Amino acid sequence: MATGAKLIADIKEKSFGEEALFDGLRFEVPAGQVVALIGPSGVGKSTLLRMIGGIDPDYEGDILIDDLVPADAEVPGFVFQDPRLLPWETALGNLLAVKPDLADDEGRQLLVNVGLDAAENLRPGELSGGMQRRVALARALAVSSRLLLLDEPFVSIDRKLARELQALVASVVDRLGLTVLLVTHDPYDAAVLADRVITLRGRPVRVVDDMALDTPRAARNADHVAAIVSELDRGMRE
Amino acid sequence: MAGSRTPKRQGKIGLEWFSILLLLALWQVISMLVQHRLFPSPIVVFIEVYDLAREGLLFPDLAKTLSRAAAAFVVAMVAGIVIGSVLGRFRSLDGLFGNWVLIGLNIPAIVVAITFYIWFGLTEFALIIAVVVNKAPLVSVAMREGVRDLDYGLSELAHVYRVSFWQRVQKFIVPQLMPYVLTAARTGLSLIWKIVLVFEVLGSDGGVGFRIGLFFQHFDMKGILAYTVAFMAVVILFEYGVLRRLEHRVLGWRPAQS
């Protein structure tokens, strides 16, 4: 089993214009832990994920992935809110577009692993919304990173599909032992997937709660999840 | 799938060819009604095409015009793509040179042709450069829009996965720009055909425009239409044989194209 990456985020300052978005925000994610960052829409969760992913380097402070800054660390697997597939490429082509040295067989296997057995030659326009999201997840796994960054991956899809994808992510993460940072505004996503939930709120953003979920993911039943959701809801409101 | 022809697509192509036959039929009917030597029927014109070809005039003239058009097309596309991409990418340069493109777009073709003929003489070079100056601004405007419309989300995707420069160009950027390139190519070609002919009438030593200019001096409508028909046949063959195939191959992924 692969071991996930260790992540340290210590943001001294990050501003948009005159407004300070982050002004002293720190948290650590041990290797192999699945951490959900939850908070209301617009609080800055996605911005934080983009900073960790190396998309937004405009901040003061340190983000270290296995003691390396994002630009020097290994390429993370990144799943955006929208599938963000290249419409002119096939499902397999979308994997190869970000990982050109990926062997075709490996790519096919990744697609099979996310439940796309016969979709390698289909283009995004020929795939359902759920299948597109599966391709986006396979693409994130294609780079063989030990860090998986998920930015609201279950937003704007129906509940049934969201549950299927959550189960898929959980099985992949458990199998590969990845470190995962999941950004979501929905406590349910966190309750189903996370080992630990960090609640963000305010301006500048601060950590208002940091809760470890003791019951292992696989052992959580509907009652466990409902209880966690209730507690997270309360934490977000307080 | 790209390359295969669905019954629906075959039907559309059939309809398009039928429309050409319909146009010829309409021409024939009107010519029979008009009954005048200045409005020859398509049959008479096709016979004239055959005669001109047999006399050895038609194909050398066509070849001359097509080679000029091809040279001007390639140079104009390359220049327009480079200029448009730079202007689309750098706002400050667009601010500085945007008006040059605007002037290039609107300056009358005839002015450009005459100016270059005066400066460089009635040469092949002057003709081709005059066509390029007329056409390149059109391409650059299309490309500028294409570069401005590049999907920022895909740029972020390429950034986060650290996709190499050439991979970005090949897999992320060029496919997004291809619709603009093809639109510029199609509109540009139709413009170039016309401009080359006008410039050949103004001053050249051969070509379709040159020959039509000679026919005009004798009010020889049969000859004018014979050259026009031959030229249009080449244009239509190019449209179906090259442009459509290329478009289907490159843009086959778009729902409207499948």
Side-chain angles (χ1 to χ4, degrees), chain A residues 149-199:
Chain A
L149 304 174
L150 306 173
D151 186 5
E152 302 268 17
F154 314 115
V155 77
S156 307
I157 52 176
D158 66 67
R159 181 170 295 210
K160 181 171 174 288
L161 178 58
R163 302 294 172 261
E164 284 175 19
L165 290 174
Q166 282 158 356
L168 177 62
V169 170
S171 72
V172 167
V173 167
D174 285 339
R175 192 172 71 247
L176 300 176
L178 305 176
T179 300
V180 179
L181 207 53
L182 164 69
V183 158
T184 179
H185 68 281
D186 186 349
Y188 187 91
D189 300 341
V192 170
L193 284 174
D195 301 316
R196 177 180 155 210
V197 183
I198 296 174
T199 306

Side-chain angles (χ1 to χ4, degrees), chain A residues 50 53-55 70-71 73-78 80 84-89 96-98 100 123 139-140 143, chain B residues 1-2 151-154 156-164 167 170-173 175-176 249-250 252-253 255:
Chain A
R50 290 157 57 85
I55 299 172
E74 65 176 15
V75 176
F78 202 117
F80 294 88
R84 220 170 275 201
L85 301 178
L86 302 175
W88 45 85
E89 291 288 345
L96 294 168
V98 300
R123 292 195 173 105
R139 179 178 61 195
V143 293
Chain B
M1 270 169 64
D151 188 331
Y152 183 69
L154 294 182
E156 274 191 351
L157 175 73
H159 182 81
V160 79
Y161 284 107
R162 290 180 219 156
V163 177
S164 70
Q167 179 82 350
Q170 189 189 341
K171 298 286 183 182
F172 288 71
I173 295 174
Q176 290 185 73
R249 187 184 164 90
V250 175
W253 57 272

Side-chain angles (χ1 to χ4, degrees), chain B residues 4 20 54 64 112 150 172:
Chain B
S4 63
I20 291 172
R54 218 178 42 176
K64 210 160 212 173
V112 176
L150 285 175
F172 288 71

Side-chain angles (χ1 to χ4, degrees), chain A residues 23-77:
Chain A
D23 186 7
L25 178 80
R26 182 186 163 85
F27 64 90
E28 292 187 24
V29 181
Q33 193 172 60
V34 178
V35 173
L37 291 172
I38 68 166
S41 293
V43 75
K45 307 181 297 291
S46 292
T47 302
L48 184 56
L49 204 67
R50 290 157 57 85
M51 290 157 65
I52 294 167
I55 299 172
D56 183 353
D58 185 21
Y59 60 88
E60 284 180 33
D62 295 308
I63 290 174
L64 298 172
I65 301 164
D66 282 337
D67 301 321
L68 297 169
V69 296
D72 296 333
E74 65 176 15
V75 176

Side-chain angles (χ1 to χ4, degrees), chain B residues 20-139:
Chain B
I20 291 172
L21 292 176
L22 194 66
L23 183 66
L24 290 173
L26 187 67
W27 176 7
Q28 178 68 36
V29 169
I30 294 173
S31 71
M32 286 164 73
L33 292 173
V34 173
Q35 290 285 345
H36 194 282
R37 72 172 185 86
L38 293 183
F39 204 112
S41 72
I43 294 170
V44 170
V45 169
F46 280 118
I47 292 169
E48 180 71 3
V49 170
Y50 176 73
D51 288 343
L52 287 167
R54 218 178 42 176
E55 288 167 23
L57 288 174
L58 183 65
F59 291 120
D61 282 335
L62 271 177
K64 210 160 212 173
T65 297
L66 290 174
S67 63
R68 285 168 178 156
F73 176 76
V74 170
V75 177
M77 285 300 291
V78 170
I81 285 172
V82 171
I83 293 168
S85 300
V86 170
L87 297 186
R89 176 69 183 79
F90 302 103
R91 289 242 168 223
S92 54
L93 288 177
D94 187 36
L96 190 60
F97 296 112
N99 278 339
W100 292 24
V101 174
L102 185 71
I103 291 167
L105 270 179
N106 291 289
I107 198 164
I110 202 83
V111 172
V112 176
I114 289 171
T115 304
F116 280 94
Y117 277 152
I118 290 172
W119 283 350
F120 301 112
L122 295 176
T123 61
E124 207 73 7
F125 175 76
L127 191 152
I128 289 171
I129 289 298
V131 177
V132 168
V133 168
N134 273 289
K135 156 75 181 148
L138 199 73
V139 180

